[in-house]
Amino acid sequence: MIPFILKLAVRNGLRNKRRSAFTVVSLLLGIGLFVAAKGFVDGIEKTLVGTQIDAEHGHLRVVTAKYQADEDYRPLDIDFAEAAAVQKLIVDQLPGALTTTRVQAAVQIGNGLRSLSCRAVIADPAAYAAFFRIGTLTPPVDKTQPYAWLGKDLAAAFKFKVGDRLMLKAKTRPGAINAMDGVVIAGLIESGSGMTDNFTILLDAAWANEFLHLEPGFATEVFARFPDGAQAELADTRLMAAIQGLHVETWQEATQFVRDLNDVRKQHFYLVVFIVLLIGALSVVNTCLMSGFERTKEIGTLLAVGFPRGRVRSLFVLETIFVGGTGALIGAAIGGLASWWFSGHPIRLAGLDEVEGGMPMPPLLYFDFSPVTMAAGFGIGLVVATVAAMYPAWRSSRLDPITALREE
């Protein structure tokens, strides 16, 4: 009996091709939008959090409490004597951890006609590029001249190219103003981080320490990465217990604002998806009701020959699942394909690092591809189709056989 019902359900599902196609498209759009929208909003969070970790923060950032209080000014006159001890403690107690240091300084760069205030990062290029995923920092062939790497968007503000020269001015550690003309641009940095790409010049510590009058090994920040990002909380606890006067920030704390805002964005997207799915459900109800009206005599015949009313309900539900499931399957596949493609081919959102209302957007947006989301989308489509078919199926099964046979 079950194979007969399935065969009958498929036949009935294909009977009115135009109406069935409309139902398929309705659920296709709803489920496809759900899968793609979830990949989009999850991708925003994953991109922003990942970029913060990979280009700016690592899993852990450590500064002195005094430096943190004045960090906006990027002071060079605050000692971080414990930097080496912090690195040693992290590496010794958390196997597999990687650490690095850097110096931040407030500088001005210019092209002789105009200048712009920005941030200088002073570090060993090889160690810094190995820790942060900002591309390869290849020095120029001629290392006798001072050289630097410039954020791509910062370079675009001056129309600088690799090999051009810029003017650099900064306040040194003792407090004097130092300037240098003819700093060679060794390369451009495109990390996806607004701070790095829009606002940063990276200087090789080999010459920049002398330019800023910094002692060898001087640092303003220590960073750490762990095999498991969850170890950041453990490292935070151990550092605060072992060394006084530190300010420790984990990646979870640094990105909490982004994740909270993205939760709001998710609610907005899911509201739109809910409305589209509701339209799809109404389409399913309409299809079932119309199918029932058109087949009143057929249903009456089935009931008259002893076909159980429960079987009639099952017939309509299976028919709807066949049509709705086809739409849900195609929609999940299309939405998943879109998420998969954009997970490897980012969308560049130049100029949209931050939009109205303080909702941050990454300059390079990657979607998050998840087979689980595709499966969930397909499952939601089946549930929507099944629930939407309940009332029409119940109504059709309650027909009186004699009255139904008399219907024209």
Side-chain angles (χ1 to χ4, degrees):
M1 182 63 73
I2 296 298
F4 170 73
I5 292 179
L6 289 174
K7 190 181 299 184
L8 197 59
V10 172
R11 189 203 69 179
N12 290 336
L14 297 174
R15 178 181 292 180
N16 192 316
K17 293 183 175 57
R18 181 175 298 179
R19 191 163 57 226
S20 295
F22 179 75
T23 302
V24 167
V25 170
S26 298
L27 283 174
L28 182 156
L29 291 175
I31 300 305
L33 179 61
F34 166 78
V35 175
K38 193 169 190 322
F40 177 72
V41 293
D42 288 352
I44 291 175
E45 181 172 320
K46 186 176 180 180
T47 302
L48 286 171
V49 171
T51 298
Q52 181 73 3
I53 292 171
D54 292 340
E56 277 294 320
H57 192 277
H59 289 130
L60 195 75
R61 175 178 178 265
V62 186
V63 297
T64 65
K66 186 177 180 181
Y67 181 86
Q68 192 272 334
D70 293 327
E71 183 178 358
D72 290 344
Y73 303 101
R74 297 183 173 83
L76 293 176
D77 58 347
I78 299 177
D79 288 324
F80 191 0
E82 303 87 354
V86 168
Q87 288 183 278
K88 185 175 187 306
L89 188 149
I90 292 172
V91 172
D92 288 348
Q93 297 201 12
L94 296 164
L98 299 175
T99 65
T100 194
T101 62
R102 77 178 181 194
V103 177
Q104 286 196 81
V107 301
Q108 285 188 328
I109 66 170
N111 59 2
L113 300 175
R114 60 193 180 97
S115 63
L116 191 65
S117 297
C118 62
R119 175 189 73 164
V121 168
I122 299 93
D124 174 76
Y128 198 75
F131 186 91
F132 289 110
R133 294 165 189 164
I134 56 174
T136 303
L137 302 177
T138 305
V141 176
D142 181 9
K143 297 183 181 179
T144 59
Q145 296 293 319
Y147 55 90
W149 294 266
L150 210 56
K152 184 175 181 180
D153 295 323
L154 180 59
F158 291 94
K159 298 184 179 179
F160 281 142
K161 304 183 299 297
V162 175
D164 288 350
R165 297 172 182 267
L166 57 82
M167 178 275 294
L168 180 67
K169 183 167 70 172
K171 186 178 180 180
T172 65
R173 178 168 161 78
I177 300 297
N178 202 357
M180 180 179 294
D181 201 5
V183 177
V184 178
I185 299 175
L188 304 181
I189 302 172
E190 185 175 16
S191 67
S193 164
M195 174 62 78
T196 301
D197 298 348
N198 300 338
F199 196 63
T200 298
I201 179 171
L202 195 150
L203 311 178
D204 189 339
W207 68 267
N209 282 346
E210 183 179 351
F211 174 70
L212 294 170
H213 298 178
L214 304 177
E215 300 86 357
F218 179 82
T220 59
E221 302 163 281
V222 172
F223 300 93
R225 295 180 74 110
F226 306 102
D228 180 359
Q231 292 178 294
E233 295 286 354
L234 177 60
D236 182 355
T237 303
R238 292 184 177 178
L239 282 171
M240 295 299 288
I243 303 175
Q244 301 299 311
L246 297 181
H247 174 79
V248 183
E249 185 179 42
T250 66
W251 67 270
Q252 295 99 325
E253 295 167 338
T255 60
Q256 187 63 52
F257 173 71
V258 168
R259 289 181 285 136
D260 288 344
L261 287 179
N262 209 48
D263 286 341
V264 177
R265 185 183 282 118
K266 286 180 182 179
Q267 293 171 13
H268 294 165
F269 272 101
Y270 293 157
L271 177 61
V272 173
V273 171
F274 172 77
I275 292 172
V276 175
L277 285 175
L278 181 60
I279 294 172
L282 293 176
S283 169
V284 172
V285 172
N286 177 69
T287 298
C288 281
L289 285 173
M290 292 300 295
S291 179
F293 286 135
E294 291 176 355
R295 290 154 49 196
T296 299
K297 205 164 187 177
E298 177 184 319
I299 295 168
T301 302
L302 290 173
L303 293 173
V305 299
F307 206 76
R309 295 184 185 274
R311 299 280 183 177
V312 173
R313 288 193 292 271
S314 299
L315 176 62
F316 273 83
V317 171
L318 288 172
E319 177 184 329
T320 306
I321 289 176
F322 167 67
V323 176
T326 300
L329 182 63
I330 297 173
I334 292 175
L337 183 62
S339 296
W340 171 79
W341 174 259
F342 289 115
S343 68
H345 300 80
I347 301 172
R348 182 168 181 82
L349 303 174
L352 290 179
D353 296 15
E354 186 171 309
V355 297
E356 185 177 356
M359 298 286 279
M361 291 288 286
L364 293 174
L365 172 62
Y366 293 85
F367 279 42
D368 180 41
F369 171 67
S370 171
V372 174
T373 300
M374 293 176 63
F378 176 65
I380 289 171
L382 291 181
V383 170
V384 168
T386 302
V387 172
M390 289 299 183
Y391 170 71
W394 174 83
R395 181 191 175 282
S396 297
S397 70
R398 303 306 300 171
L399 290 174
D400 177 64
I402 303 302
T403 305
L405 289 171
R406 291 174 179 171
E407 287 285 339
E408 293 296 334

